């Protein structure tokens, strides 16, 4: 059979039937699937920049094996993610899939990871249930309940009596709404209304007018990375701050990538999250400096740090297997991983394959003329609370 016949036969046989043995001189390929175009392109830009920085700093050889990164754009469309993941597995014979900028994109690829026994490192998407969709998934981003629960408890203890929640109407938004409502209510707070807004091109104006009419002490918000500016603009135009309504949320709304451009309206916003570019540690100072230097001053956000740590997780796993890219061995090694991230100490929970990390309380302040999420407190080593419950 010539090469073409073999390729066609392989495609027909499907991914699971493919020989996965690699020769020692073959490169270990990582297929990185990201939204490089479309409304969530900032996630792709951040993750790509961070992955390339990690490789520039740590070399492109691990345990004697050359590493090859193959970047593909799915435009944020789940059907594309699925098609690309299939091609990367079958044609390119990648040993690891990584990326996944949004929850539906991670869902689309999960069955392929299981079928082909290829580890899938989720560096961005953050709905709790994602890691349960395949035993080959490990995650370096966060989960919405992980970031939300500490805020709900903080709000109840800090004079916020009533809240209206406003979330994007899909997996992570529903996770955030459920976690906030459950914990805030249990701690004695009142949730006056739960509002869900469309994910794509949301017009927040009518919803924020509704919030203004309800006069809660605060509005809790979750919108995915990149959408926060549109929310802030409407928050300002509807005069919510003047009406005495505080803004709280997960750190997705005050995303470091776009925070400084939001202007004074963002000042005083209280959020909880796993990463701030202003995190005060030597590891983070070095990361931010190198990232900005390599990317024309672009400030890293939590998506960037997810991508950086995703590469770190893959490198650590390959070191542990002595360069063996076998999927079962790699995912087992990933479950033992533990390191110091720019965000602080992190580990992969061997039971859930989710990341265990500190969740920080932050307030938007002006530092040397620029807006930052300045951390003022933290809860240490937080696991995904949804999976802790079962
Ligand atoms: C997601 O789709 O899972 C997602 C995207 C952006 C975020 C958080 C979660 O900021």
């Amino acid at each position: 059979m010539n090469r073409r016949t073999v390729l066609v036969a392989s495609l027909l046989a499907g991914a699971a039937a493919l020989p996965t043995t690699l020769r020692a001189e073959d490169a270990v390929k990582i297929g990185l699937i990201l939204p490089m175009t479309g409304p969530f392109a900032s996630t792709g830009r951040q993750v790509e920049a961070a992955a390339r920085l990690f490789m520039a700093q740590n070399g492109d050889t691990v345990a004697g094996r050359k590493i090859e990164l193959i970047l593909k754009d799915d435009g944020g469309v789940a059907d594309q993610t699925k098609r690309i993941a299939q091609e990367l597995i079958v044609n390119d014979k990648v040993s690891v899939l990584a990326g996944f900028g949004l929850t539906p994109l991670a869902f689309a690829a999960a069955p392929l990871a299981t079928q082909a026994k290829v580890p899938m490192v989720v560096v961005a998407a953050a709905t709790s249930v994602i890691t349960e969709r395949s035993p080959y998934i490990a995650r370096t981003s966060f989960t919405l309940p992980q970031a939300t629960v500490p805020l709900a408890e903080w709000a109840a203890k800090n004079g916020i009596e009533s809240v209206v929640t406003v979330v994007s109407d899909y997996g992570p938004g529903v996770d955030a709404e459920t976690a906030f409502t459950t914990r805030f209510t249990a701690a004695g707070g009142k949730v006056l209304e739960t509002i869900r807004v469309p994910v794509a091109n949301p017009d927040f104006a009518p919803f924020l007018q509704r919030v203004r009419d309800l006069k809660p002490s605060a509005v809790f918000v979750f919108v995915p990375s990149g959408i926060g500016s549109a929310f802030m603009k409407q928050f300002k135009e509807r005069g919510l701050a003047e009406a005495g309504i505080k803004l709280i949320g997960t750190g997705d709304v005050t995303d470091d990538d776009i925070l400084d451009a939001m202007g004074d309206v963002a000042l005083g916003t209280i959020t909880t999250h796993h990463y701030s570019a202003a995190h005060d540690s030597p590891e983070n100072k070095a990361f931010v400096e190198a990232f900005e230097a390599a990317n024309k001053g672009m400030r890293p956000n939590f998506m960037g740090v997810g991508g950086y740590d995703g590469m770190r997780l893959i490198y650590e796993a390959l070191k542990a297997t002595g360069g063996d890219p076998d999927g079962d061995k790699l995912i087992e090694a990933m479950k033992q991983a533990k390191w110091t991230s720019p965000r602080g100490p992190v580990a992969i929970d061997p039971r859930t394959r989710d990341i265990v990390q500190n969740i920080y309380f932050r307030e938007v302040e002006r530092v040397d003329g620029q807006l930052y999420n300045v951390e003022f407190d933290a809860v240490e080593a937080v696991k995904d609370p949804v999976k802790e419950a079962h």
Side-chain angles (χ1 to χ4, degrees), residues 6 22 63 125 157 164 197 222 266 278 301 305 310 312 342 363 382 385 390:
V6 172
L22 286 171
K157 283 192 215 122
V164 175
V197 302
F222 165 78
N301 70 2
V305 96
R312 173 88 186 241
E363 176 165 0
V382 180
H390 63 245

Side-chain angles (χ1 to χ4, degrees), residues 34-376:
L34 294 168
M36 301 305 300
T37 51
F40 300 100
S42 63
T43 295
R45 188 163 33 81
Q46 282 277 341
V47 173
E48 181 193 1
R52 296 211 189 280
L53 174 64
F54 184 89
M55 290 185 73
Q57 291 175 329
N58 295 276
D60 62 357
T61 304
V62 183
R65 304 292 295 256
K66 192 100 177 145
I67 304 295
E68 189 185 322
L69 191 65
I70 306 175
L71 174 68
K72 299 279 181 187
D73 174 19
D74 64 13
V77 178
D79 286 346
Q80 293 296 326
T81 316
K82 189 175 170 186
R83 180 184 59 74
I84 292 165
Q86 180 94 31
E87 284 173 8
L88 286 167
I89 292 168
V90 175
N91 298 353
D92 297 298
K93 303 187 174 48
V94 296
S95 297
V96 180
L97 291 170
F100 311 102
L102 297 157
T103 290
L105 313 181
F107 284 167
L112 299 173
T114 305
Q115 191 192 4
K117 301 183 190 298
V118 168
M120 171 172 156
V121 178
V122 174
V123 310
T127 301
S128 172
V129 78
I130 287 172
T131 44
E132 294 175 39
R133 290 290 177 98
S134 170
Y136 290 89
I137 294 179
R139 172 155 47 195
T140 60
S141 50
F142 72 112
T143 78
L144 263 303
Q146 186 180 41
T148 302
V149 165
L151 181 63
E153 289 167 357
W154 180 90
K157 283 192 215 122
N158 284 271
I160 294 175
E161 288 168 8
S162 60
V163 165
V164 175
T165 62
V166 177
V167 303
S168 292
D169 191 7
Y170 76 124
V174 174
D175 265 7
E177 179 194 284
T178 306
F180 189 88
T181 304
T182 311
R183 297 299 178 108
F184 185 60
T185 308
K190 270 200 207 68
V191 174
L192 304 182
E193 201 156 297
T194 56
I195 296 174
R196 297 183 184 178
V197 302
V199 185
N201 307 312
D203 176 9
F204 295 105
F207 303 109
L208 289 175
Q209 185 56 49
R210 174 83 187 134
V211 173
R212 208 190 145 138
D213 295 344
L214 287 163
K215 294 193 177 57
S217 332
V219 54
F220 166 85
V221 65
F222 165 78
V223 289
S225 182
I227 307 295
S229 310
F231 180 88
M232 282 292 184
K233 192 164 170 281
Q234 292 297 332
F235 186 85
K236 184 178 178 184
E237 280 170 15
R238 295 282 131 184
L240 270 75
E242 288 80 4
I245 300 169
K246 290 193 177 68
L247 179 58
I248 62 174
T250 58
D252 307 75
V253 71
T254 55
D255 175 350
D256 268 301
D257 195 65
I258 49 178
L259 175 59
D260 191 48
M262 289 179 191
D264 285 353
V265 60
L267 283 170
T269 305
I270 304 277
T271 58
T272 38
H273 230 206
H274 53 292
Y275 180 67
S276 165
H279 179 64
D280 189 9
S281 74
E283 291 83 7
N284 188 49
K285 286 212 165 70
F287 170 67
V288 173
E289 240 178 71
F291 188 98
E292 291 184 346
N295 296 286
K296 302 193 177 82
M298 173 166 75
R299 190 196 291 182
N301 70 2
F302 62 97
M303 294 301 189
V305 96
Y308 192 75
D309 284 334
M311 289 303 291
R312 173 88 186 241
L313 179 60
I314 297 165
Y315 272 45
E316 294 291 333
L318 272 169
K319 272 185 218 160
T321 66
D324 186 344
D326 173 76
D328 288 298
K329 288 182 188 156
L330 280 183
I331 193 74
E332 278 314 307
M334 286 181 188
K335 291 182 194 174
Q336 310 307 321
K338 210 188 228 162
W339 67 97
T340 304
S341 158
R343 67 185 103 174
V346 298
I348 300 298
D349 181 346
R351 188 171 77 86
T352 64
R353 291 163 277 102
D354 267 319
I355 192 161
V356 184
Q357 57 192 337
N358 297 347
I359 295 297
Y360 303 91
F361 296 87
R362 312 99 54 86
E363 176 165 0
V364 177
E365 290 175 18
R366 225 172 247 295
V367 182
D368 298 332
Q370 290 195 24
L371 296 177
Y372 279 96
N373 295 293
V374 176
E375 297 171 353
F376 60 87

